[in-house]
Amino acid sequence: MSRWLPRAYLTLVYLLLYVPIGILVLFSFNDSRSGYTWGGLSLRWYQSLFNNNAMVEAMWNSLWLALSAATVSTVIGALTALALHRYRFRGKKMLNGMLFVVMMSPEIVLAISLLALFLLVGIQLGYVSLLLAHVTFCLPFVVITVMARLSGFDERLPEAARDLGASDFTMTRTVLIPVIMPALLAGWLLGFTLSLDDVVVSTFVSGPSYEILPLRIYSMVRVGLKPEVNALGTLLLVFSLVMLMLSQWILSRSKR
Amino acid sequence: MKKTLLSLRNLTKQFDGKTVLDSLDLDIADGEFITLLGPSGCGKTTLLRLMAGFEHPDAGSISLAGEELIDVAPENRPLNTVFQHYALFPHMSVFDNVAYGLKMEKRPKDEIRQRVEEALAMVQLQDYVARKPHQLSGGQQQRVAIARAVVKRPKMLLLDEPLSALDFKLRRTMQVELKRLQRELGITFVFVTHDQEEALSMSDRVVVFKDGVVQQLGTPREVYERPANLFTARFVGETNFFPGRVEAADAGDSITVDVLGLKRTFRRPDFAVVDGQSLHVLLRPEDIRVLAPDDTEGLPGRVVERNYKGSTLDSVIHLEDGTEVLASEFFDEDDPTFDYRLGEPVRVSWVDGWEWLLPEESAAAEAEAVTDA
């Protein structure tokens, strides 16, 4: 009894977590038109997904946006983290706190304020507004990831490099960046994922000129669940699994 | 005296208003092994960092062979450092770690390879070129750090407590090894430590520091046998302090001192003495002679502790007035029963001429010397 109960509980938890995903993957190969009956194996929904030009375009848009947002926020975030780690200056505590404000504030608040800002400044809603918005909400995550790595960073390493004849710039390139590389990659991947599946902020700041995947799916689902969505979900799942394994592999390879 | 390589003048450094180094003057000779010795927080590491260029002094000058170094960036100073926790680059192999300094000098590839191999052979690590630092033991990492610092053939090597993270046996081995390296390379070593034994056994000269001020500068022998003040006496090795009172100061080369009621004649110290003056009589544990209770010489006391140390027998003896005396005696081969029982009455004496006299310092200075040491 005492052994049986925890196991059953654990099984239930995992079932609740994975059965919906399993069903989604399974039904993406379903030949039946209805989402509720099994009609045999088929790849027709994948085919129809790739024939759906609007969908493919939204996919590429999303990937490109996630790629650029993650890269921009990693560059800015890493520099911010370095500055916060290395220098003592007035307002450092406040700057640090403000990062958390961005991270903790409800997404809807961020979305509305960004929209208001873009309208005020006159930025056309589209790729640029999406990029700015995504960089904004990815930034604190990158900064915190890199800062965590830097806090365990041996302060003597830069000194050792300088001592051996490296200029500040060469030291940064040959010692600092390689050592914090895992954190940079982790931050980048985090930003990439956050950007890829964001709905709330994107809904507010996107325009008709640049449609992205989560919004496309959202509008598709509103008019009824098509099996195409299952195929898309499966592809996204595989994609994120690959990304996850990649990041784990990079992390384990560059351990220490 | 060899010619001076590095000379420090009036060097002062403060951190947040606290003076860490107070107008320090020091000359370091070319090719010597000099040790900066002191308790933690005495300013010895700060001094090393000033030499390396990681800190900027508030006042004073550092000149290397006549060239002022104060405004020279660390990467342009012809000195290299071995850091306390080695600071090896974790993402580079042993080879790349050692080659780093030469790559910065943009040396040709062949030369780099050859010099790195030489440096690694010197520390007996030639078979470990491809390893990463985390695959090495502490002692091996230490050797890589040394190879990395000497491969550039610096004029001077700065070592910041390089052996403190190693276990006792390895530390001993590395002490001998460092000494050998220093002799072979002929580089000036500036070695920072808080371990007085390490300082005595390795150095040509020792600088004893306290609160950013040099307490004594001398050979290990001078520092141990003729400490300049109470702090040095207490910090370097174990010392017995006996209170003394000058009975007769006018007897030519010697003076008569009353030590706890015992009249002894001592060599005249190099400070002025007058009749009736109080002073400290310092005796190292190995200077103490423990005699039988029926002996006529010495001060009576009782054995309160005995520690068998293998080559020596260390005992603690309480004198009748409460003074505690440490004695360290070598085993007498001819006396197999040589030992004490706890509580055994004995008499304590010493070999004439082995004592060292110091004047009384202010009460505050004396109290401080006790707490710091």
Side-chain angles (χ1 to χ4, degrees):
Chain A
M1 167 68 189
S2 59
R3 282 163 61 91
W4 174 82
L5 197 65
R7 283 187 188 181
Y9 177 70
L10 197 68
T11 314
L12 190 71
V13 169
Y14 275 90
L15 278 178
L16 279 173
L17 275 174
Y18 286 105
V19 163
I21 297 175
I23 287 175
L24 178 133
V25 174
L26 191 68
F27 273 73
S28 73
F29 298 105
N30 187 2
D31 198 25
S32 161
R33 200 155 182 54
S34 145
Y36 313 104
T37 50
W38 181 251
L41 279 174
S42 141
L43 286 174
R44 61 183 282 203
W45 302 118
Y46 289 89
Q47 202 175 7
S48 93
L49 181 70
F50 285 106
N51 287 334
N52 185 338
N53 284 334
M55 187 70 102
V56 173
E57 199 194 318
M59 201 150 66
W60 284 122
N61 281 349
S62 255
L63 280 177
W64 174 241
L65 176 66
L67 207 77
S68 43
T71 308
V72 172
S73 52
T74 302
V75 171
I76 301 175
L79 292 173
T80 312
L82 275 176
L84 285 173
H85 176 74
R86 217 168 149 175
Y87 304 110
R88 286 198 294 179
F89 52 89
R90 266 161 61 100
K92 175 173 164 171
K93 275 221 168 91
M94 202 175 78
L95 197 66
N96 214 343
M98 274 158 69
L99 286 170
F100 281 94
V101 171
V102 173
M103 208 157 84
M104 306 302 276
S105 66
E107 249 191 299
I108 189 83
V109 176
L110 189 68
I112 294 167
S113 56
L114 280 170
L115 178 63
L117 176 77
F118 294 150
L119 294 179
L120 197 71
V121 181
I123 294 174
Q124 199 155 34
L125 296 182
Y127 172 71
V128 176
S129 64
L130 276 168
L131 179 67
L132 289 173
H134 283 210
V135 168
T136 307
F137 69 71
C138 289
L139 199 60
F141 292 93
V142 177
V143 175
I144 281 155
T145 316
V146 177
M147 286 245 282
R149 176 82 184 184
L150 282 173
S151 71
F153 181 73
D154 183 357
E155 285 311 314
R156 299 283 170 263
L157 290 182
E159 287 182 353
R162 298 290 299 275
D163 190 66
L164 292 165
S167 64
D168 212 14
F169 178 76
T170 312
M171 180 280 292
T172 307
R173 187 173 57 80
T174 56
V175 175
L176 187 60
I177 291 178
V179 172
I180 64 168
M181 195 43 124
L184 295 182
L185 285 172
W188 189 90
L189 282 169
L190 200 61
F192 187 86
T193 332
L194 284 171
S195 164
L196 197 63
D197 71 8
D198 175 75
V199 178
V200 181
V201 174
S202 304
T203 313
F204 280 76
V205 299
S206 69
S209 63
Y210 202 83
E211 197 179 27
I212 55 172
L213 199 59
L215 299 186
R216 177 79 210 164
I217 296 172
Y218 187 61
S219 62
M220 261 171 74
V221 172
R222 253 193 321 206
V223 294
L225 207 61
K226 271 198 196 163
E228 267 179 33
V229 174
N230 290 338
L232 186 60
T234 307
L235 286 179
L236 281 175
L237 186 71
V238 170
F239 182 72
S240 19
L241 276 178
V242 169
M243 292 286 273
L244 187 75
M245 284 187 322
L246 192 71
S247 68
Q248 288 298 317
W249 181 70
I250 291 167
L251 274 175
S252 70
R253 225 179 46 128
S254 60
K255 262 273 160 60
R256 283 209 42 131
Chain B
M1 189 71 190
K2 285 186 197 160
K3 76 174 205 299
T4 299
L5 179 62
L6 190 84
S7 94
L8 311 173
R9 287 289 170 269
N10 188 32
L11 208 60
T12 301
K13 178 73 187 171
Q14 300 186 325
F15 285 118
D16 302 323
K18 190 180 171 287
T19 304
V20 182
L21 282 182
D22 199 0
S23 35
L24 180 116
D25 293 323
L26 182 65
D27 284 321
I28 297 173
D30 197 6
E32 80 170 324
F33 194 125
I34 191 165
T35 298
L36 312 179
L37 175 68
S40 54
C42 70
K44 55 194 195 299
T45 295
T46 304
L47 178 57
L48 205 70
R49 292 173 60 79
L50 284 168
M51 291 185 201
F54 303 134
E55 307 282 355
H56 202 267
D58 296 317
S61 83
I62 303 175
S63 62
L64 185 96
E67 186 203 347
E68 181 57 52
L69 282 187
I70 293 287
D71 292 317
V72 178
E75 60 263 37
N76 299 325
R77 296 190 184 195
L79 321 167
N80 286 116
T81 309
V82 177
F83 292 86
Q84 185 170 11
H85 296 289
Y86 323 138
L88 298 179
F89 305 128
H91 56 296
M92 294 183 197
S93 66
V94 167
F95 182 93
D96 288 334
N97 262 284
V98 179
Y100 192 85
L102 298 175
K103 281 181 187 159
M104 291 303 124
E105 288 178 3
K106 304 215 161 36
R107 298 274 169 187
K109 269 217 163 71
D110 292 342
E111 188 192 333
I112 292 180
R113 173 159 295 278
Q114 193 202 335
R115 280 173 67 177
V116 169
E117 277 166 4
E118 273 171 25
L120 284 172
M122 210 159 53
V123 294
Q124 283 124 42
L125 278 179
Q126 56 273 55
D127 300 331
Y128 293 84
V129 282
R131 299 267 184 106
K132 287 280 181 71
H134 68 96
Q135 295 170 312
L136 300 177
S137 70
Q140 289 168 335
Q141 291 185 30
Q142 175 63 80
R143 286 157 199 264
V144 176
I146 293 166
R148 184 177 71 173
V150 298
V151 77
K152 292 191 71 171
R153 297 174 192 151
K155 292 214 170 109
M156 188 180 253
L157 196 65
L158 309 173
L159 303 106
D160 185 10
E161 307 218 11
L163 309 181
S164 65
L166 304 177
D167 65 51
F168 179 75
K169 264 210 132 138
L170 201 52
R171 206 155 64 215
R172 273 302 176 67
T173 320
M174 286 306 295
Q175 285 175 7
V176 176
E177 194 116 325
L178 273 176
K179 202 64 206 145
R180 173 183 67 83
L181 264 177
Q182 197 254 344
R183 261 198 316 271
E184 281 174 13
L185 296 167
I187 299 175
T188 308
F189 274 37
V190 182
F191 189 91
V192 162
T193 185
H194 61 266
D195 182 336
Q196 42 97 10
E197 214 180 303
E198 202 165 273
L200 294 182
S201 65
M202 297 176 76
S203 332
D204 296 324
R205 287 198 302 161
V206 180
V207 189
V208 183
F209 266 98
K210 194 191 117 203
D211 299 337
V213 177
V214 173
Q215 304 290 313
Q216 188 167 3
L217 169 63
T219 63
R221 205 171 169 150
E222 282 164 1
V223 169
Y224 187 76
E225 292 181 0
R226 283 177 277 151
N229 55 28
L230 288 179
F231 174 79
T232 309
R234 281 192 211 267
F235 191 75
V236 181
E238 302 269 16
T239 312
N240 293 302
F241 291 84
F242 292 96
R245 181 169 294 276
V246 180
E247 290 275 307
D250 53 0
D253 264 357
S254 56
I255 60 171
T256 309
V257 177
D258 175 301
V259 184
L260 298 172
L262 199 69
K263 305 266 187 297
R264 297 285 289 242
T265 305
F266 293 144
R267 233 178 314 124
R268 177 179 286 280
D270 48 15
F271 54 91
V273 287
V274 292
D275 283 1
Q277 181 190 345
S278 294
L279 42 68
H280 293 283
V281 179
L282 275 60
L283 285 156
R284 299 290 183 184
E286 62 271 21
D287 301 338
I288 299 288
R289 290 290 169 267
V290 183
L291 308 169
D294 51 0
D295 217 295
T296 50
E297 237 191 298
L299 299 157
R302 268 173 202 286
V303 177
V304 294
E305 218 176 283
R306 54 167 290 279
N307 291 310
Y308 173 75
K309 287 279 179 65
S311 57
T312 59
L313 180 68
D314 292 359
S315 43
V316 180
I317 295 154
H318 266 195
L319 298 185
E320 278 172 352
D321 75 324
T323 310
E324 205 169 75
V325 179
L326 303 172
S328 179
E329 295 170 282
F330 277 99
F331 277 104
D332 184 351
E333 303 265 331
D334 298 330
D335 183 4
T337 60
F338 166 67
D339 203 349
Y340 305 112
R341 289 185 320 275
L342 292 185
E344 185 177 326
V346 289
R347 287 183 92 88
V348 168
S349 184
W350 58 87
V351 182
D352 269 326
W354 287 13
E355 75 290 329
W356 180 246
L357 302 178
L358 281 179
E360 279 204 320
E361 296 174 19
S362 70
E366 298 214 348
E368 218 179 298
V370 176
T371 49
D372 282 355

